[in-house]
Structures are given as C-alpha cells and as structure tokens.
Amino acid sequence: MLNLKKQTGFTLIEVMVSLVVLAVGLLGLMAVQILALKNNTNADFRSRATILAYDMAERMRANKAGFDSGNYSPTPANYTGTGCTAACSPSQMASQDILVWQADIAASLPEGTGTIATAATNATDGLDITILWEETDKSGESLDKSFILRVRNQ
C-alpha cells in the first residue's frame, strides 16, 4: 500500500513558487512596457520638432522677399511680435509666421521654444532654425534636446 501522507502540501509549494516566478516575469514585462512608452513619447517629440522646423522653412520659402530681406533673423526666444490679418508686407508676413510658429512649438513640445539665427559658420550659409524642448531619459531625469535645420538662401 502507498503512503500518501508524506507528500501533503508539496503541490501548494509548487503553486506558490510558480506564482512568484509569474509575478517577477510580469514585473519585468511592465518595466519593458514603461520604457517602450517613454521612448515612444520621446520619438514623438523629435518628430514634432522636425515637422515644426520644416514648417518654418516652408514659410520662409513662401515668403522669399521676407527671407531675402532678413526679416526672419535674428529671432529671440519667445518672440512676441505682431502679425497682420489682411494684405501683408513681407516683413509683416515674417512676423506673423514667427508668431504662429512659436505658438505651435509651445503647444506641441514640453518647454518648447524656437529661434532663427544666422548660420554659425558663415552669414551667407543661410539661417539655422533651432527648436528646443525637454524630454526624459530612462532614469526619469529631464534632458534638454534640440533640433537644428539649416535653410540656405537659393
């Protein structure tokens, strides 16, 4: 005859160990998911910065007279110029473009600002469109990020 009393509780220990292994696995999966979400958010910010920089470049191309006259540069951070609502001169259009562009940056990116300045290497190289924002790294620390697009006078 088989004595089963020696094996009592053994399956309960197996179940508890498997629950601990499952819990550790789920915590690891959750950590990977949080990291993926954070990286996805940061990639979204970079994409928005790129789109906004190219948006300003297209505004400059549309207002070539304003670009050639230097109405887009230098642009201080948080520009508060006045735009126009009716027929605009090239300088008024440049002012309106900058005003709308900086409002879009502030609405799209955390701590987002944008500036336009003469290219660092040579004034004839064109303008540098710079967008700054903050994003977080793996540890949760806030990092300053930037995207610079050089627009050449053609």
Side-chain angles (χ1 to χ4, degrees):
M1 205 144 172
L2 196 61
N3 189 356
L4 294 177
K5 289 195 174 215
K6 292 181 183 177
Q7 303 250 345
T8 33
F10 182 71
T11 55
L12 183 60
I13 292 173
E14 285 180 333
V15 170
M16 290 175 66
V17 168
S18 65
L19 284 176
V20 168
V21 169
L22 179 66
V24 169
L26 288 176
L27 284 174
L29 184 63
M30 185 177 69
V32 168
Q33 188 71 15
I34 289 172
L35 184 63
L37 182 63
K38 199 175 287 188
N39 287 335
N40 190 29
T41 302
N42 290 341
D44 181 50
F45 292 153
R46 291 182 186 129
S47 295
R48 289 180 189 197
T50 304
I51 290 167
L52 289 164
Y54 278 98
D55 175 52
M56 180 48 85
E58 291 303 318
R59 289 173 187 265
M60 289 177 183
R61 286 188 184 103
N63 185 9
K64 182 137 176 64
F67 180 81
D68 292 340
S69 300
N71 293 321
Y72 286 95
S73 175
T75 304
N78 299 320
Y79 181 75
T80 58
T82 57
C84 62
T85 55
C88 302
S89 69
S91 65
Q92 289 173 325
M93 182 58 74
S95 177
Q96 180 67 17
D97 288 344
I98 293 167
L99 194 64
V100 169
W101 178 66
Q102 288 193 341
D104 289 346
I105 291 171
S108 299
L109 297 170
E111 304 293 325
T113 59
T115 58
I116 303 168
T118 304
T121 56
N122 188 348
T124 60
D125 281 348
L127 301 176
D128 284 342
I129 300 170
T130 305
I131 298 179
L132 303 167
W133 74 95
E134 286 190 11
E135 63 182 42
T136 56
D137 65 358
K138 291 189 277 192
S139 65
E141 288 188 34
S142 182
L143 301 172
D144 291 332
K145 293 292 182 173
S146 66
F147 178 81
I148 300 173
L149 174 68
R150 180 157 295 157
V151 179
R152 295 183 186 265
N153 190 358
Q154 297 178 9

